[in-house]
Amino acid sequence: LLGGGIETQAITEFFGEFGSGKTQICFQLAVSVQLPKDKGGLEKNAIYIDTENTFRPDRIIQISEALELDPTKILDNIVVARAYNSDHQILMAEKAEDLIREKNIGVIIVDSLTSQFRSDYTGRGMLADRQQKLNRHMHGLQRLSDIYNLAVVVTNQVMTRPDFFFGDPTAPIGGHIVGHSATFRIYLRKSKGGKRVGRLIDSPNLPEGEAIFSIVKDGIRD
Ligand code: ATP
Ligand code: MG
């Protein structure tokens, strides 16, 4: 679906409703970035900006063991930072440069990109402010990905709209606040028998398409 994987020097956004697999994909990526190059990794490490307090070391251990990697080492190479509000989140991304160099970072994960912004900027009157701050945040992330040739992966929750019969059945909560500053956007949805479906939307170089996957103890699988 992604033509070989997550691209560096780009922002990839996974969006979908609760439980669609956004966080699980982030866990998988925080581990697989550390794989050798001949196994699809970058032999680099991860920064994980956790805004919803859903980072689970247990899952990292399970996913690492499934790949026969040393879980302690893998966990050590994931720098987890908790963002307490949207300004804090922006600041953390802006101050990440030293860390990126020191720790040889290959991916910055922001899970979730939007949740703190949603709670900090409520109501219609604050929408413009929120948009402006989010844009600044996205530009900051894009800049880091360009300079350090790393991947940026962000998540965004959306609500499904069962009343929608035509067109896009989902709408990001609070409108299209992320706009289209992400290079790759993948819409995740739950499907039959616990399967998940990822749909690539608006890619600059890849055709639209879908891929089916499962979330299992070992991580994300075909
Ligand atoms: P939210 O918007 O609430 O953050 P999300 O898209 O991040 O949701 P995830 O946390 O990625 O959702 O997915 C949660 C789902 O992952 C659970 O519903 C469960 O089906 C599955 N899951 C989590 N841990 C395991 C595991 N150890 N084994 C199998 N499936 C698991
Ligand atoms: Mg999540």
Side-chain angles (χ1 to χ4, degrees), residues 74-114:
I74 298 294
L75 261 177
D76 270 354
N77 289 330
I78 303 173
V79 185
V80 183
R82 208 46 191 104
Y84 292 98
N85 57 52
S86 56
D87 282 335
H88 187 209
Q89 183 177 329
I90 293 174
L91 206 67
M92 277 193 323
E94 285 175 357
K95 300 281 177 207
E97 290 200 40
D98 289 344
L99 198 60
I100 291 169
R101 280 189 294 260
E102 245 167 67
K103 294 280 285 180
N104 190 27
I105 297 299
V107 64
I108 300 177
I109 293 161
V110 187
D111 182 25
S112 123
L113 177 74
T114 43

Side-chain angles (χ1 to χ4, degrees), residues 149-217:
N149 189 23
L150 51 81
V152 170
V153 173
V154 304
T155 69
N156 186 18
Q157 201 191 54
V158 296
M159 277 189 299
T160 50
R161 294 165 55 172
D163 56 326
F164 237 70
F165 293 111
F166 301 102
D168 183 359
T170 70
I173 294 170
H176 283 271
I177 38 178
V178 184
H180 292 277
S181 33
T183 321
F184 298 97
R185 307 186 73 221
I186 297 133
Y187 168 51
L188 302 178
R189 66 174 197 272
K190 295 182 226 177
S191 181
K192 278 172 278 183
K195 297 261 184 215
R196 303 293 196 280
V197 181
R199 162 179 278 273
L200 181 66
I201 288 168
D202 286 346
S203 156
N205 60 323
L206 295 167
E208 283 203 12
E210 290 195 338
I212 297 171
F213 65 95
S214 306
I215 306 166
V216 293
K217 176 171 167 273

Side-chain angles (χ1 to χ4, degrees), residues 26-101:
C26 292
F27 291 162
Q28 181 71 59
L29 291 173
V31 176
S32 25
V33 69
Q34 300 185 47
L35 284 167
K37 287 188 179 157
D38 62 2
K39 290 193 170 148
L42 290 176
E43 291 169 38
K44 289 188 178 180
N45 304 317
I47 290 178
Y48 199 111
I49 299 178
D50 178 16
T51 75
E52 299 186 308
N53 205 14
T54 51
F55 182 80
R56 290 293 175 276
D58 295 9
R59 288 293 287 140
I60 300 295
I61 292 170
Q62 288 174 339
I63 293 168
S64 308
E65 282 172 346
L67 293 168
E68 295 178 342
L69 300 166
D70 175 358
T72 319
K73 248 190 180 158
I74 298 294
L75 261 177
D76 270 354
N77 289 330
I78 303 173
V79 185
V80 183
R82 208 46 191 104
Y84 292 98
N85 57 52
S86 56
D87 282 335
H88 187 209
Q89 183 177 329
I90 293 174
L91 206 67
M92 277 193 323
E94 285 175 357
K95 300 281 177 207
E97 290 200 40
D98 289 344
L99 198 60
I100 291 169
R101 280 189 294 260

